[in-house]
Amino acid sequence: MSTTQRSEGMNAFFDEFINSTTTLQQFVVQYDNALHSKVEKECEANFASANTTLPCGSQSFIERQFQDEYTHAKFGEVQNELTCKINCNIKSVEVHGGKAKYIVKEALIWKDQSADKYNEVIFDLVTKDIECTCWLFEFRGVLCCHSLMVLALEDVKFVSQKYILS
Ligand SMILES: [Zn+2]
């Protein structure tokens, strides 16, 4: 709970289960209840996702891979990243030892001001592995718009199964 982001995540997790007057003993019981509730919600989401299909917004096979595998909520995150590709531009490419290093500029607006961000995407030309300095995949399990842009440029039709989390 050390960072704001994590703390907000924890608040949402415990929202309906604890408050400022909860004792430590009650917390232990409520922690268990919160976990059960979370599992139940995940099961409901899986069931709803298994019985309906969200439409793809692009002609990308990669999007179809995630459409088949992910719940609606997680697929929505992938679609959001695909949409954000429109804000990205490749600023430079260097190839060394079988790896391509892309500098991707993402146009962002913060408080009516331009707040562009630059990320470095490393693409392995042999294994097709990809990583980005924004670390979205490592933190949220979703390939970022920067990586998706590079994969499209490199003509990768399908991502490795390791980028599709169970
Ligand atoms: Zn990224």
Side-chain angles (χ1 to χ4, degrees):
M1 295 187 200
S2 59
T3 68
T4 307
Q5 191 179 10
R6 184 132 183 230
S7 180
E8 283 167 5
M10 287 294 137
N11 286 344
F13 182 75
F14 288 117
D15 222 8
E16 59 202 87
F17 296 96
I18 59 170
N19 57 46
S20 57
T21 62
T22 304
T23 65
L24 185 59
Q25 199 171 15
Q26 289 168 328
F27 174 81
V28 173
V29 174
Q30 287 302 76
Y31 179 83
D32 203 38
N33 288 337
L35 267 185
H36 281 294
S37 170
K38 191 171 169 59
V39 168
E40 200 169 295
K41 282 178 184 161
E42 278 178 4
C43 286
E44 286 170 8
N46 279 337
F47 182 76
S49 300
N51 289 301
T52 55
T53 306
L54 287 184
C56 284
S58 72
Q59 297 295 307
S60 156
F61 286 111
I62 290 175
E63 185 180 12
R64 278 165 180 71
Q65 278 184 283
F66 290 105
Q67 180 193 37
D68 290 342
E69 301 283 340
Y70 277 9
T71 60
H72 290 347
K74 207 68 187 168
F75 181 54
E77 290 182 42
V78 174
Q79 287 191 310
N80 187 46
E81 291 305 309
L82 284 163
T83 303
C84 287
K85 273 170 55 181
I86 200 167
N87 302 321
C88 298
N89 280 301
I90 303 294
K91 299 310 284 183
S92 68
V93 190
E94 287 173 31
V95 178
H96 292 291
K99 290 187 177 185
K101 180 174 95 177
Y102 286 84
I103 301 298
V104 180
K105 176 184 149 188
E106 182 180 4
L108 295 169
I109 297 172
W110 194 71
K111 290 187 177 177
D112 292 333
Q113 301 284 314
S114 173
D116 298 345
K117 269 178 46 184
Y118 291 82
N119 284 290
E120 190 177 295
V121 178
I122 306 289
F123 176 71
D124 190 308
L125 299 165
V126 178
T127 63
K128 313 290 184 202
D129 285 350
I130 196 155
E131 61 179 55
C132 177
T133 51
C134 77
W135 306 115
L136 185 72
F137 180 73
E138 287 74 7
F139 284 107
R140 302 268 317 148
V142 172
L143 283 172
C144 62
C145 54
H146 324 113
S147 296
L148 290 166
M149 179 167 215
V150 169
L151 289 169
L153 280 172
E154 292 286 350
D155 214 20
V156 174
K157 298 279 186 243
F158 298 95
V159 293
S160 159
Q161 200 64 29
K162 72 181 182 184
Y163 297 113
I164 302 170
L165 303 182
S166 59

